[in-house]
Amino acid sequence: MFRKVLIANRGEIALRVICACKELGVRTVAVYSEADRNSLHVRFADEAICIGPPRSAESYLNVPAVISAAEIADVDAIHPGYGLLSENANFAEVCRASNIKFIGPPPEVTRLMGEKEKARMAMKKAKVPILPGSEGVIQSEEEATEWAKSVGFPVILKASAGGGGRGMRVVRSAEELPNLFHAAQTEAQNAFGNGDLYMEKFIERPRHIEFQVLADEHGNVVSLGERECSIQRRHQKLIEEAPSLQVTAKMREEIGATLKKSLSNIGYMNAGTVEFLMDEDGQIYFIEMNTRIQVEHPVTEMVTGIDLVKAQLRIAAGERLSAILPKQLEIRGHAIECRVNAEHPEKFTPSAGKIHVFNLPGGNGVRVDTAQFSEGFVPPYYDSLIAKLIVHGRDRAEAIARMERALGMFIVEGIHTTIPLHRRIFADEEFRSGAFDTKFMERFFEREKEAREKAVL
Ligand code: MV4
């Protein structure tokens, strides 16, 4: 195992990685910006190094600053967490050149998955189901029109360098295609410095279902089942759960077996998430792969009993999956996560400031991942996620009851959070039924609006 690991991140995920290191007897080095001087990741790490001013671009995203800290502290490895440098293949290459183990897949694999069109073709070749669409990058609007006619409208144009919804356009007819093609191309060029586009058949009301995988450095891959992540707004997930009510044991088995083969062929290593869309008929199609640990990894941990971050460290240290995982993998019960963001619950604008009271719920089946505390401060410079409230129950009904009581015991005073929004979602019949898709939040807000209008009348 590593002697010393640098955590190139902040907030709850930096703490999460520190927890895993402590349990493995690994020394930890925190890096922090001037705005994070008094944060818990600094306090709980064995060493801490300031790497720059508050803005991420000058601190957490500053590759020379992070690498210098790693060299000064003399670490064996760097864990990037999620976001920030976690899917930056160039950063992983600099780590390699500096003889520091990057805890994640090799840069070549990160680069492949970062080019969504290439990832799609690689998965197609490996017999993972993909949506009908273009093959390779689309060179012109004429070619786009040809593909659209062969696939059938509606189609969606996506940026090859994209993700998270930018550079995407839904095209419903041949007439509107040229304008939308150029709009998507320009947006992608401006956002990513790469205007390459590809095309897929558009699914109107998809569910977002993703599979967690682990791969060791000896060619072994395992699927740890899926997470249902359809409850989202503006491409930001709000609630995730495991397992999905829509995925049968047979589907889970089949998709797991396919991923095992395809990711082994691709040379995938460490933790990863394979994203799928499920259509109205329950068919699932690969859309993209994330080559990092994800925010919502705890729901998988709760139903499998596997510590994914410890697994990441052990895989990066060369251990085999057979030494890390139990003989029999099983999905036990049901887990749900609510993302608690420091933001106005209706306006969704960030709410930075001092937290006066911070009371965490606890008790049976409740887990909270956070780096916040009473009298602490939420700086305005970073992601607004301040805590993840995760519950586990025998079944979904017990998990829902547990979440409702835990949300009621979670007190945050001084800033606005999404806790009140979560309480309303958990009271919603459509949410409780489990039969929802990625358009859920739009319908939910519409129902709330109608209820308010009725109350006035
Ligand atoms: C789609 C789609 C419908 N059809 N692709 C949005 C972000 C990016 N990761 C993929 N996205 C979508 N791709 C096809 N062929 C609808 C979305 C989409 C979406 C996907 C998952 C979760 C939330 C979403 C919200 C809007 C659109």
Side-chain angles (χ1 to χ4, degrees), residues 33-82:
S33 73
E34 285 159 15
D36 281 337
R37 217 167 265 295
N38 299 315
S39 65
L40 288 189
H41 80 282
V42 171
R43 210 194 278 205
F44 291 140
D46 295 305
E47 297 169 42
I49 300 175
C50 183
I51 51 166
R55 287 188 9 224
S56 298
E58 298 177 62
S59 50
Y60 298 108
L61 288 172
N62 182 341
V63 173
V66 173
I67 295 290
S68 301
E71 288 188 327
I72 288 163
D74 188 25
V75 301
D76 313 305
I78 296 181
H79 194 301
Y82 52 67

Side-chain angles (χ1 to χ4, degrees), residues 141 270 360 430:
E141 69 176 65
N270 218 280
L360 294 182
E430 185 186 350

Side-chain angles (χ1 to χ4, degrees), residues 231-238 339 341 343 383-384:
I231 308 291
Q232 55 79 43
R233 190 188 125 109
R234 297 190 188 158
H235 303 294
Q236 288 288 92
K237 293 167 187 159
L238 292 169
R339 295 191 186 192
N341 287 85
E343 60 190 26
D383 188 281
S384 66

Side-chain angles (χ1 to χ4, degrees), residues 131 156 158 200-203 208 232 235 277 288 438:
L131 284 155
I156 183 168
K158 296 185 174 183
E200 283 173 358
K201 178 88 191 157
F202 179 65
I203 302 181
H208 177 136
Q232 55 79 43
H235 303 294
L277 294 184
E288 47 194 80
T438 55

